[in-house]
Amino acid sequence: MRINVVIEDADYGKFSDLQLCYLDNGVNRKVPLSFLGYERVFDFTTDFTSVKFDFFLVSAIVYGVDNLLSRAIYSNDGWTRDIEVEFPVENLAVWSGKEEKIKQILDFLTGDNWQISFRELEDVNLFQPRTNRRKIPSYDKDSIKSVSLFSGGLDSLIGVVDELEKLRNNERILLVSHFDSKSPGPNGDQRKLLRHLMTQYPNKIYWVQSKLALSRKDSDGSRVTIENNYRSRSLFFIGLGCYLSPTDDLIIPENGTISINYPLTPSRVSSLSTRTTHPYVLKNTQELLVDLGLSTIIHNPYTFKTKGEMFIECKNQTFIQGVFQNSVSCGKRGRKQNWEVKIGVQECGICMPCIYRRAALNKAGLDNENHYGNFITRANSRNYSKDLPALINYLKRDISLEKMKRDLLVNGNIEIDNLEQYANMVLMSKEEVLQLFREKGNRFVKSELGIR
């Protein structure tokens, strides 16, 4: 499927809509991808000409195109899509020759077949700022010593706390956030946690948040069926972070278990095993940044840490234990129709991110099943959740270190030098989940797992 990107002059107070145009069963369709509230980004940087801005724009378009094409409609095999895009960039000479590297990243990240080309960005007015604003924030960029992505999840919260604990007097951290206005849950998470952080660490935090969303209707008002996987969200997060960061380091706090995302069954190796912060993605994105002449260094300090280790090693235990409940790790928070508890909870309790969260908090002695919509440790059959049969089979498998190393190599481009560390980390994470079921599992779950 070929997607043409059309950029027109911005309206007053807005960033230009990125029109994603394609031919759908003989009908030309145009769907806007919109930056909402772009003033927050513009207040921090007015740059529209650098290679950093190009990368930010390219990553935003990738996010929009990934959302646009429903796999149920446009895939060849139920999953893989053929996607052709020509990206507009300001610095065409710099981007020329980088097509294969970006294809390499996107093919692995989204599981599709991308065809990449570039063109010179047209001479358009990308943003038209309002002239009647009363209060415009100011930033002392020289005081920023650390820049971290801030999603509203537990890992990003821990990462931010650890960085804040390192800062000296008059030093600040820049938190970079994104949320899709069509899925607004993370916005509330980010704001709630930010209030706690700013109370605990006054005058230490700058925060810039971007809102990006693909319209659910085309320019004619017809409904668009989108893809809800959001696999490319991490690339846009990195693009936004690189664009805004006044320092060379960009921190992406994510536990190693989720980054590797070891598949529970062989059938999940490609389609169901997400790769948003996989080491292969980060390594190749880093290589792309170097090839583009950018000095930004992408860094995940928790590459070899389980979620449980991240939590118990957090540098401010009093604070993290007091606010962690305001973070959300769930991957299915918007689908409450089948939850046992629907009111007063934000996390399903049965997706793998929720299970890893419960296991981590159990390791710290802080697990509380009443914070979830379902109770995985009290399942009464293997049909309690879609993932439970695979999870039980995975936990019952006796996986040696050597077997885990082989599996990781087969499942996805792990560097040999780090292979044993990754394998040990995945096995430790498996043990954390097993310990949760040993301590909290009912008779059925323990029987299925062979736990006495």
Side-chain angles (χ1 to χ4, degrees), residues 133-146:
R133 295 177 65 197
R134 293 182 179 179
K135 189 175 182 181
I136 299 175
S138 61
Y139 300 93
D140 177 9
K141 294 185 181 180
D142 290 338
S143 71
I144 297 173
K145 301 304 178 185
S146 183

Side-chain angles (χ1 to χ4, degrees), residues 51-70:
V51 177
K52 277 189 172 185
F53 174 75
D54 283 342
F55 182 50
F56 165 66
L57 186 63
V58 167
S59 66
I61 293 170
V62 167
Y63 178 81
V65 171
D66 184 28
N67 281 192
L68 179 66
L69 301 177
S70 168

Side-chain angles (χ1 to χ4, degrees), residues 9 45 260:
D9 285 328
T45 178
I260 291 292

Side-chain angles (χ1 to χ4, degrees), residues 68-79:
L68 179 66
L69 301 177
S70 168
R71 295 183 192 274
I73 300 172
Y74 298 106
S75 66
N76 303 318
D77 55 5
W79 183 261

Side-chain angles (χ1 to χ4, degrees), residues 154 307-308 311-312 317 320-321 324-325 329 347-378 432-442:
L154 181 56
K307 201 178 195 80
F311 193 94
I312 64 176
Q317 283 294 309
I320 199 69
Q321 290 183 29
F324 75 88
Q325 292 177 20
S329 305
E347 303 187 271
C348 73
I350 54 176
C351 68
M352 287 311 302
C354 279
I355 293 168
Y356 287 131
R357 179 188 174 98
R358 282 200 62 184
L361 295 174
N362 185 66
K363 186 184 184 80
L366 295 167
D367 174 55
N368 185 342
E369 66 178 14
N370 294 318
H371 293 159
Y372 303 87
N374 299 286
F375 311 104
I376 194 72
T377 54
R378 290 198 265 141
E432 286 180 8
V433 177
L434 265 172
Q435 190 61 29
L436 170 69
F437 286 110
R438 288 191 193 104
E439 295 182 17
K440 302 289 181 67
N442 63 9

Side-chain angles (χ1 to χ4, degrees), residues 91-255:
N91 303 276
L92 183 59
V94 175
W95 287 89
S96 179
K98 311 303 187 296
E99 296 85 354
E100 189 58 35
K101 174 60 76 174
I102 296 181
K103 172 181 170 57
Q104 192 176 3
I105 295 167
L106 296 183
D107 283 2
F108 186 86
L109 180 61
T110 71
D112 298 303
N113 178 31
W114 290 75
Q115 297 300 317
I116 305 296
S117 59
F118 299 103
R119 73 169 192 266
E120 190 168 347
L121 179 63
E122 294 78 11
D123 185 15
V124 295
N125 185 2
L126 290 170
F127 181 68
Q128 192 175 151
R130 291 184 296 154
T131 57
N132 59 348
R133 295 177 65 197
R134 293 182 179 179
K135 189 175 182 181
I136 299 175
S138 61
Y139 300 93
D140 177 9
K141 294 185 181 180
D142 290 338
S143 71
I144 297 173
K145 301 304 178 185
S146 183
V147 181
S148 179
L149 303 187
F150 180 59
S151 67
L154 181 56
D155 288 3
S156 74
L157 174 63
I158 293 169
V160 168
V161 170
D162 285 350
E163 288 302 307
L164 282 163
E165 288 291 323
K166 297 177 186 176
L167 295 182
R168 301 173 183 173
N169 292 338
N170 301 319
E171 293 181 345
R172 293 180 183 257
I173 186 172
L174 171 64
L175 306 186
V176 177
S177 296
H178 156 65
F179 80 97
D180 189 315
S181 60
K182 302 298 182 182
S183 304
N187 179 40
D189 305 335
Q190 292 162 13
R191 290 179 179 277
K192 191 179 296 183
L193 291 173
L194 189 70
R195 287 194 293 271
H196 289 294
L197 286 165
M198 286 186 160
T199 300
Q200 178 70 24
Y201 301 97
N203 303 315
K204 288 290 185 182
I205 299 169
Y206 288 135
W207 180 52
V208 179
Q209 183 193 57
S210 170
K211 292 187 283 185
L212 177 65
L214 182 73
S215 175
R216 300 314 192 246
K217 293 183 178 180
D218 66 17
S219 57
D220 293 329
S222 299
R223 187 78 181 166
V224 176
T225 301
I226 70 159
E227 175 62 32
N228 288 313
N229 194 272
Y230 298 113
R231 278 194 169 205
S232 59
R233 178 174 180 260
S234 62
L235 188 69
F236 175 63
F237 230 149
I238 294 171
L240 177 65
C242 288
Y243 178 47
L244 292 174
S245 178
T247 73
D248 285 343
D249 288 335
L250 176 63
I251 298 167
I252 305 175
E254 182 91 271
N255 73 83

Side-chain angles (χ1 to χ4, degrees), residues 297-363:
I297 304 297
I298 303 170
H299 178 47
N300 179 6
Y302 309 101
T303 299
F304 303 114
K305 298 290 186 182
T306 68
K307 201 178 195 80
E309 289 171 328
M310 279 188 71
F311 193 94
I312 64 176
E313 294 173 13
C314 180
K315 292 182 171 61
N316 188 335
Q317 283 294 309
T318 301
F319 178 74
I320 199 69
Q321 290 183 29
V323 303
F324 75 88
Q325 292 177 20
N326 294 298
S327 68
V328 175
S329 305
C330 183
K332 300 178 180 178
R333 66 187 299 173
R335 310 168 202 172
K336 289 190 175 183
Q337 58 268 29
N338 296 319
W339 292 15
E340 292 187 47
V341 178
K342 298 181 175 66
I343 299 174
V345 294
Q346 298 295 323
E347 303 187 271
C348 73
I350 54 176
C351 68
M352 287 311 302
C354 279
I355 293 168
Y356 287 131
R357 179 188 174 98
R358 282 200 62 184
L361 295 174
N362 185 66
K363 186 184 184 80

